[in-house]
Amino acid sequence: MTGRNDPCWCGSGSKYKKCHMAADMASGASAARRVPTAPASWAKSAAEIEGMRRAGAFNGELMDYVRGELRPGLSTEAIDRLVYDYTVSHGHKPATLGYHGFPRSLCTSINDVVCHGIPSPSEVLREGDIVNIDLTTIVDGFHGDSSETFLMGEVSDEAKLVSAVAAESMVRGLRAIQPGRELQDIARAIQPFVEERGFSVVRQYTGHGIGLKFHENFSVFHHVEPAADNMVLIPGMTFTVEPMVNVGTPHVTTDPVDKWTVRTRDKKLSAQFEHTVLVTENGVEILTLTPSQRKAGVWLSPPWIELAAAL
């Protein structure tokens, strides 16, 4: 639970009592309520944590590899081949390939596609597009999962802004993670920030526990959901934070033919960023940082560092 004198969950640096406490209590989200602690069995062992670190490190390496290949004119099927070949050549497995029948090695979600876009030879990246690259890899049985939105050349101001807000909303969610704090503090850090900038947070899709299984134990909401499970975080938990931010309404539709591709209902743009994290004794460790991010000591890559900081 967030105490009166603890730092506020929103990341402002102010004490909770001087920041969001009054608003939370007015909305029924009082920090004084009792919240159960996560089961001890959900904390990874030291060996499992090392496995998650290896999986996350490779996943980040793969993201930097893909970053260097993306360009207008490239088909999403070509991206799929690059991801499959790079992953398998390093002795690992693409987690999405065959997962509940998904036919490809990653998800490529362009413009109004929110998530689960299927790579295709007929789908080609074009100047002005934004594309989310969502990678999940299996390394020695453990899963690493991350995504990033990329700009294809010169894009609209709206595309740039919604992507920057998605990037910063993920960072704010990551900053809310500490042992002893609530899982829903992540949503409380994300949703107000997004909505104050005129955008919306997708409700139907969430982050999730992750480890030897792709999806484990619990969901990580990015919007405040009173009916959702909540818990006090404990060291050793691993999960994803992956807010999907829409220009218009939060409502989405699933393609009736392929049963996978999720689009915004109003056909407006959507953007997403994701990292896999570990709750530590003192805070949070980002497991899926790319080599370039680790070297720079940041959680985002250019141009998002600068664009998110300007919000």
Side-chain angles (χ1 to χ4, degrees):
M1 292 181 290
T2 305
R4 290 171 53 86
N5 293 308
D6 291 339
C8 187
W9 50 259
C10 73
S12 66
S14 298
K15 290 182 178 180
Y16 180 62
K17 65 183 180 183
K18 294 185 177 180
C19 197
H20 274 82
M21 188 176 79
D24 283 353
M25 294 184 73
S27 66
S30 172
R33 69 198 184 289
R34 293 193 174 275
V35 175
T37 299
S41 61
W42 290 1
K44 301 288 190 292
S45 68
E48 290 171 329
I49 288 171
E50 286 307 309
M52 289 298 293
R53 284 179 173 137
R54 290 193 300 273
F58 177 76
N59 193 257
E61 176 186 329
L62 179 60
M63 186 68 77
D64 263 356
Y65 169 70
V66 173
R67 184 192 318 282
E69 300 293 329
L70 290 180
R71 63 185 184 281
L74 190 69
S75 73
T76 52
E77 182 186 55
I79 301 169
D80 181 74
R81 287 198 303 269
L82 290 169
V83 168
Y84 178 83
D85 290 346
Y86 191 90
T87 302
V88 172
S89 69
H90 284 77
H92 308 313
K93 299 177 182 178
T96 59
L97 185 59
Y99 185 74
H100 293 299
F102 191 81
R104 298 294 186 177
S105 298
L106 81 158
C107 300
T108 52
S109 302
I110 301 174
N111 295 334
D112 67 328
V113 177
V114 177
C115 60
H116 304 163
I118 302 173
S120 165
S122 62
E123 185 177 61
V124 177
L125 299 179
R126 303 184 187 282
E127 183 85 14
D129 284 342
I130 57 173
V131 56
N132 179 265
I133 299 296
D134 193 345
L135 304 172
T136 311
T137 47
I138 305 174
V139 176
D140 301 327
F142 292 94
H143 291 71
D145 188 4
S146 66
S147 82
E148 184 171 336
T149 295
F150 293 87
L151 307 178
M152 292 296 101
E154 290 297 320
V155 306
S156 69
D157 289 343
E158 182 178 66
K160 195 177 296 184
L161 181 58
V162 71
S163 300
V165 168
E168 177 63 15
S169 73
M170 179 196 69
V171 169
R172 291 185 177 225
L174 297 177
R175 287 177 181 155
I177 299 169
Q178 295 223 6
R181 293 185 66 173
E182 297 176 21
L183 181 66
Q184 285 197 21
D185 283 347
I186 296 168
R188 296 181 192 124
I190 290 172
Q191 185 180 4
F193 168 77
V194 171
E195 293 181 350
E196 285 167 5
R197 279 143 187 85
F199 299 132
S200 64
V201 179
V202 172
R203 269 62 165 166
Q204 284 92 327
Y205 296 93
T206 68
H208 50 88
I210 189 169
L212 288 171
K213 295 180 180 179
F214 197 158
H215 298 84
E216 290 187 346
N217 301 326
F218 59 95
S219 296
V220 181
F221 283 74
H222 306 111
H223 69 285
V224 179
E225 178 57 68
D229 290 338
N230 195 15
M231 68 194 80
V232 174
L233 301 174
I234 59 174
M237 296 176 72
T238 54
F239 52 86
T240 68
V241 176
E242 47 182 303
M244 303 170 195
V245 176
N246 293 352
V247 165
T249 73
H251 305 300
V252 300
T253 61
T254 301
D255 190 289
V257 177
D258 69 36
K259 310 296 185 182
W260 280 104
T261 306
V262 178
R263 295 182 174 87
T264 57
R265 187 183 298 175
D266 56 15
K267 305 301 181 185
K268 295 183 179 181
L269 296 173
S270 184
Q272 181 191 18
F273 289 75
E274 173 187 13
H275 273 309
T276 298
V277 305
L278 165 70
V279 182
T280 68
E281 295 289 343
N282 301 310
V284 62
E285 179 180 339
I286 314 303
L287 299 176
T288 46
L289 292 177
T290 73
S292 59
Q293 288 168 349
R294 287 185 190 278
K295 184 176 180 180
V298 296
W299 295 351
L300 297 171
S301 301
W304 306 118
I305 300 169
E306 296 81 7
L307 291 174
L311 292 171

